[in-house]
Amino acid sequence: MTRSVLSIGDLSASEIGAVLDLALESKRRSGPRGSELAGKTALLIFQKPSLRTRVSFELAVSNLGGRPLYLSPPEVGIGERESPEDVGSVAGRYCDLIVCRTFDQTVLERLAASSGVPVINALSDWEHPCQALADVLTIREHGGTSGRCLAYVGDGNNVARSLAAAAAGEGMHVRLASPAGYELDASSVEDAALRARESGGSVSTMSDPEEAVFGADVVYTDTWTSMGQELETKQRHEAFVGYQVDVNLVAKASPDAGVMHCLPAHRGEEISDEVLDGPQSIVLDQAENRLHAQQALMAWLFG
Ligand code: CP
């Protein structure tokens, strides 16, 4: 069966656990890399810019013995030059895996339905599952997941959606603080809560950042204005006043709390320089873990 990972919901909590176990084992092990993608080609279709996702996927494919083939935003033209079905059915004749960053989740679904090969979501407007795998891996390394509290402060966006489900499935107590109109949708909160009920975790939503962060073990934020939302910048800046993760907010968390951000950051907006560059910041481990998590995901899919 061809397994695609278009959202965190495509992986059960125990499957995420298996992928993260593999990632930790591979990260600790020195010596030969895997061969799960030997002789295989992964097509990396990016309709948006990227540093972390593109570099980590290219390296991860190579580390597993495969060949990455990158298509940049102007080269692709999905939906303009060709339909997702035409791109998918042709790409499936050349390649063994498609990794795609796109605006629209349905593009991923259409590529998966037409290509006959696994498709991995490298970010859509709806989900960022590979980011969430790396995030939970990072939390595992920094004190563990089960029973610990994760406070997400900011936009109820794609990153929040994937993170809440992945962390809840690991038994974390997830608190989401967003201003009115920017909350994570109720259905996604319920999906995460369902995972939490099975793992012993919990999910709660609120508007007060201090309430979310109080005593938390991890404080997480993301940009207020994501790629494609630039026209909303002014209204978003007004809505998110009081939601900056700064030293005063972090002081409400557990004294050894880790601070996370998926990057790129808009310094001085959702997070202060002092916190992003400070001793509690674990954002570089988080960025590095994109490589380990995605490598493990592909090894698991093809192993
Ligand atoms: N966090 C993340 O997806 O970074 P890039 O946009 O640089 O890939």
Side-chain angles (χ1 to χ4, degrees):
M1 188 180 69
T2 301
R3 282 290 296 270
S4 287
V5 179
L6 309 185
S7 68
I8 277 292
D10 289 324
L11 298 169
S12 68
S14 66
E15 288 173 333
I16 290 174
V19 169
L20 298 183
D21 287 346
L22 202 57
L24 283 170
E25 184 197 322
S26 151
K27 189 175 174 181
R28 287 189 194 119
R29 193 180 57 225
S30 55
R33 316 270 185 156
S35 57
E36 289 83 354
L37 292 181
K40 298 189 188 302
T41 300
L43 183 62
L44 313 183
I45 302 176
F46 278 59
Q47 294 190 291
K48 291 178 167 186
S50 169
L51 169 64
R52 282 145 288 271
T53 310
R54 187 227 167 137
V55 174
S56 57
F57 261 112
E58 284 212 27
L59 290 173
V61 170
S62 299
N63 287 348
L64 294 174
R67 182 167 62 159
L69 199 58
Y70 173 75
L71 283 181
S72 65
E75 290 175 284
V76 186
I78 295 182
E80 295 159 12
R81 190 163 177 267
E82 286 184 277
S83 70
E85 285 76 13
D86 286 351
V87 173
S89 53
V90 170
R93 295 293 180 106
Y94 298 131
C95 302
D96 305 280
L97 166 69
I98 297 172
V99 174
C100 181
R101 166 168 289 203
T102 183
F103 291 89
D104 183 351
Q105 184 77 9
T106 64
V107 167
L108 296 166
E109 291 161 6
R110 293 167 70 182
L111 288 175
S114 57
S115 65
V117 299
V119 175
I120 296 177
N121 179 352
L123 179 143
S124 71
D125 288 3
W126 186 249
E127 283 240 17
H128 201 354
C130 294
Q131 181 68 56
L133 292 177
D135 295 342
V136 174
L137 177 63
T138 307
I139 299 169
R140 276 193 179 196
E141 290 180 314
H142 286 271
T145 50
S146 185
R148 297 177 80 230
C149 175
L150 165 66
Y152 178 92
V153 176
D155 192 13
N157 60 11
N158 50 357
V159 169
R161 182 171 292 108
S162 300
L163 176 68
E170 286 262 311
M172 294 198 79
H173 300 291
V174 180
R175 300 179 195 151
L176 302 160
S178 305
Y182 296 93
E183 303 96 336
L184 188 61
D185 67 285
S187 168
S188 298
V189 172
E190 182 49 33
D191 286 346
L194 192 62
R195 288 191 178 231
R197 280 198 284 280
E198 290 168 3
S199 68
S202 63
V203 180
S204 51
T205 59
M206 57 212 68
S207 59
D208 183 357
E210 290 194 7
E211 183 188 349
V213 165
F214 184 76
D217 301 294
V218 180
V219 180
Y220 195 122
T221 190
D222 187 17
T223 52
W224 296 337
T225 310
S226 297
M227 282 181 279
Q229 298 173 330
E230 289 76 10
L231 291 176
E232 301 172 27
T233 301
K234 185 171 176 293
Q235 77 195 56
R236 283 176 170 269
H237 279 207
E238 287 165 7
F240 283 93
V241 167
Y243 282 79
Q244 186 184 82
V245 173
D246 58 15
V247 284
N248 293 328
L249 190 60
V250 173
K252 313 280 183 211
S254 168
D256 59 354
V259 176
M260 300 181 73
H261 191 305
C262 56
L263 303 177
H266 294 177
R267 289 169 172 267
E269 294 180 15
E270 76 277 1
I271 191 164
S272 67
D273 283 339
E274 210 175 351
V275 170
L276 191 64
D277 301 326
Q280 288 176 256
S281 173
I282 54 175
V283 300
L284 294 181
D285 290 342
Q286 197 183 346
E288 179 191 335
N289 279 336
R290 295 294 305 279
L291 170 64
H292 303 294
Q294 289 154 197
Q295 193 168 306
L297 176 64
M298 291 188 288
W300 180 80
L301 278 174
F302 284 86

